[in-house]
Amino acid sequence: MTTQHDPFLAQERTAFDPDGRQAMQAAAHHAIAFRDGVDGGAARPKLRPADLVGRFDGPLPETGEPAASVIEALVRDAADGIHPHPSPRFFGYVIGGSMPVGTAADFLVSSWGQNAASSWESPAVAVIEQTVCRWCLDLLGLPADCGVGIVTGATLANTQGIMAARDALLARQGWDAGERGLFGAPEIPVLINADAHSAPVAALRYAGFGPGRAIRLETDDQGRIRLDALERALTACPNPPLVVLQAGQINTGASDPFAEAIPVIHRHHGWAHVDGAFGLWLHAVPGLRDRLKGVEAADSWAVDLHKWLNAPYDAGLSITRDRAALVDAMTARGAYLPEPGKTWEPSDSTLELSRRARGVPSYAILRHLGASGVRDMIARHCALARYLADRLAREPGITVLNEVVSNQVALACADDATTQRVLDRIQTRGRVYPSHGLWRGRKIIRCSISNHATDRADIDLLVEELLAALRERSPSRA
């Protein structure tokens, strides 16, 4: 059978043709135009999902389009539904601003097209990411020989830390989870802060623990675990437990009393894991480090890079004190542990065997800011949060519900209906954008300050918008 006239074989292809070049140039042009408009534009999207479906839900075309045309259409159709998260006036959730230098590096990541799992196949990326891990351990004040995996964010970082804890705690009881699985394994008691974020709760489910069987530790009015509750729970544990602590409660910013809690956990031969998605960054700042005193004694930590470091999505760190515990739980290369050295396989520290070089943008940001720049940004955000709380504390009709110890400010009005009305009005106007929450049975307006570009003028505008919405008469009373 001959194939010499097969039309598919006769086609000539190039890796980078003029159409592809035009598409990349168009994407860069529109990306820069979007960032140019962030400062002066609304801090909310123009349209919500229901309004956008018609632009994208048609059938897959039978024939394709030029690459540059696809980019132009994508920008045109999506623009009204893009939420300006990089805006310095976006105060919702805890979302960093995707710093421009990191975003520029992210362009390169996509263009390079590296599978970052292998140091042999992607040597530069492996070395860059190892440098990110080393720099972050130093910044965060954690042991230099920790095991670190660069993951998508705190949800996966918590999952990996909890899986490493699970396997290590079982190994201490003579059970090899990697070979034998979990059926018939010794019990591992799980204790967790009753006001924990949903990410470590989900991680318990992913790791096979089931959050419903976890013991929820009683907390104080700021969401910190009570030491007496921890000690009672530990005393009742039949086997060495996993204890999930937190640095930075999502509503209050408060952190658990690590200096007292972790030694007690270790006396009961337990594993202390810390969900530090944003709050762990406080440990990078000498003047704020005492707010997390003792956190460096934990056994594992989860932290985001796309929150307070302002890296583009997605990026986080899964960190364990014992690198072997992380590698043993994560590696897909076989039942052995490679010796730590100058080069290690990125895939040995994460669940992913194929992934993009997500550590490169964080490298660019860290190099751009330097250690002092990172510390200054975190300290400035905490000062801005304190400034916001101080301004609002003098205003009748608004209550600051939390002790402001980081970048979070939780606000409530006289009743839930007023709080919701104020938030709806602010978000509709879109000059600033705080988000909702629930704290101690009350609806709240949660203001998270984590954008690299946010300054005092942005906080003043937030106050202005809050007060204007509060003083505006409800439509039902107009």
Side-chain angles (χ1 to χ4, degrees):
M1 179 178 179
T2 180
T3 59
Q4 62 183 3
H5 299 300
D6 191 319
F8 292 108
L9 298 181
Q11 295 175 356
E12 294 185 1
R13 300 285 179 176
T14 58
F16 193 42
D17 59 18
D19 188 32
R21 179 187 297 273
Q22 291 173 12
M24 292 181 72
Q25 290 172 335
H29 168 78
H30 286 295
I32 293 169
F34 171 76
R35 287 303 181 97
D36 276 340
V38 159
D39 272 333
R44 54 154 294 181
K46 293 180 181 178
L47 300 178
R48 295 297 183 177
D51 305 308
L52 292 161
V53 170
R55 301 185 184 185
F56 298 98
D57 69 347
L60 176 66
E62 182 63 31
T63 58
E65 304 173 46
S69 298
V70 169
I71 296 301
E72 294 292 346
L74 178 62
V75 171
R76 180 194 68 231
D77 293 341
D80 290 342
I82 299 299
H83 203 147
H85 291 162
S87 169
R89 291 170 285 107
F90 183 88
F91 300 102
Y93 314 102
V94 190
I95 293 180
S98 297
M99 191 173 286
V101 66
T103 304
D106 212 31
F107 290 174
L108 292 175
V109 168
S110 294
S111 182
W112 289 342
Q114 301 289 285
N115 179 0
S118 169
S119 65
W120 184 257
E121 302 301 336
S122 302
V125 169
V127 175
I128 289 169
E129 291 197 339
Q130 288 174 47
T131 300
V132 169
C133 295
R134 179 168 53 84
W135 284 353
C136 286
L137 289 175
D138 183 55
L139 265 173
L140 294 169
L142 301 180
D145 58 350
C146 283
V148 188
I150 299 183
V151 295
T152 57
T155 300
L156 189 53
N158 278 299
T159 301
Q160 291 197 173
I162 287 171
M163 291 175 68
R166 176 197 66 193
D167 290 3
L169 288 169
L170 288 174
R172 294 174 193 174
Q173 300 181 67
W175 186 275
D176 185 345
E179 289 298 316
R180 302 177 68 183
L182 300 180
F183 290 102
E187 180 184 357
I188 299 177
V190 177
L191 316 180
I192 187 170
N193 182 307
D195 293 309
H197 189 271
S198 60
V201 174
L204 292 175
R205 186 170 78 250
Y206 303 152
F209 282 120
R213 62 181 291 277
I215 298 168
R216 300 299 183 106
L217 297 172
E218 184 182 353
T219 58
D220 65 13
D221 63 347
Q222 297 299 304
R224 299 173 290 234
I225 63 164
R226 293 175 57 95
L227 291 171
D228 56 345
L230 173 64
E231 292 188 10
R232 284 195 304 271
L234 287 171
T235 300
C237 289
N239 293 323
L242 163 64
V243 183
V244 181
L245 306 172
Q246 69 176 339
Q249 206 283 330
I250 193 65
N251 294 309
T252 68
S255 297
D256 286 329
F258 304 113
E260 296 79 20
I262 293 175
V264 176
I265 295 166
H266 287 163
R267 282 202 297 272
H268 286 79
H269 309 291
W271 180 294
H273 171 76
V274 176
D275 171 24
F278 68 93
L280 191 59
W281 285 103
L282 293 173
H283 208 241
V285 184
L288 303 174
R289 187 167 292 171
D290 279 352
R291 299 177 187 184
L292 271 62
K293 185 177 180 181
V295 74
E296 69 279 2
D299 300 288
S300 57
W301 306 262
V303 65
D304 271 317
L305 300 172
H306 54 235
K307 286 187 171 66
W308 227 334
L309 190 62
N310 279 249
Y313 277 89
D314 49 33
L317 299 178
S318 173
I319 308 170
T320 60
R321 175 178 298 278
D322 178 6
R323 180 173 179 255
L326 181 63
V327 174
D328 194 28
M330 296 297 116
T331 186
R333 292 201 295 148
Y336 67 93
L337 300 180
E339 289 295 323
K342 290 187 176 179
T343 332
W344 43 259
E345 289 304 289
S347 61
D348 284 338
S349 301
T350 71
L351 287 168
E352 300 163 303
L353 198 56
S354 299
R355 67 169 179 85
R356 72 196 311 271
R358 64 171 57 93
V360 173
S362 295
Y363 172 85
I365 291 169
L366 289 166
R367 187 164 176 175
H368 173 63
L369 292 178
S372 62
V374 174
R375 296 185 186 112
D376 288 349
M377 179 171 63
I378 294 165
R380 175 167 52 84
H381 290 156
C382 291
L384 288 172
R386 182 70 264 167
Y387 172 70
L388 171 62
D390 288 345
R391 283 208 57 186
L392 293 174
R394 301 190 295 267
E395 297 293 341
I398 292 184
T399 302
V400 178
L401 297 179
N402 63 312
E403 301 168 7
V404 180
V405 295
S406 64
N407 60 339
Q408 304 296 296
V409 181
L411 308 172
C413 302
D415 52 57
D416 282 355
T418 304
T419 299
Q420 188 65 55
R421 177 179 63 79
V422 169
L423 179 62
D424 289 345
R425 177 57 178 160
I426 292 170
Q427 290 184 342
T428 299
R429 280 173 58 83
R431 299 180 73 200
V432 296
Y433 198 98
S435 56
H436 67 281
L438 190 68
W439 183 241
R440 296 297 184 252
R442 298 179 69 177
K443 287 187 175 182
I444 64 171
I445 298 170
R446 186 157 62 88
C447 304
S448 299
I449 302 168
S450 54
N451 187 295
H452 65 95
T454 300
D455 59 19
R456 181 169 171 165
D458 298 311
I459 302 300
D460 288 337
L461 180 59
L462 174 58
V463 172
E464 177 185 323
E465 288 293 289
L466 282 163
L467 296 181
L470 178 66
R471 292 163 184 162
E472 186 177 81
R473 295 182 65 188
S474 172
S476 63
R477 298 173 57 190

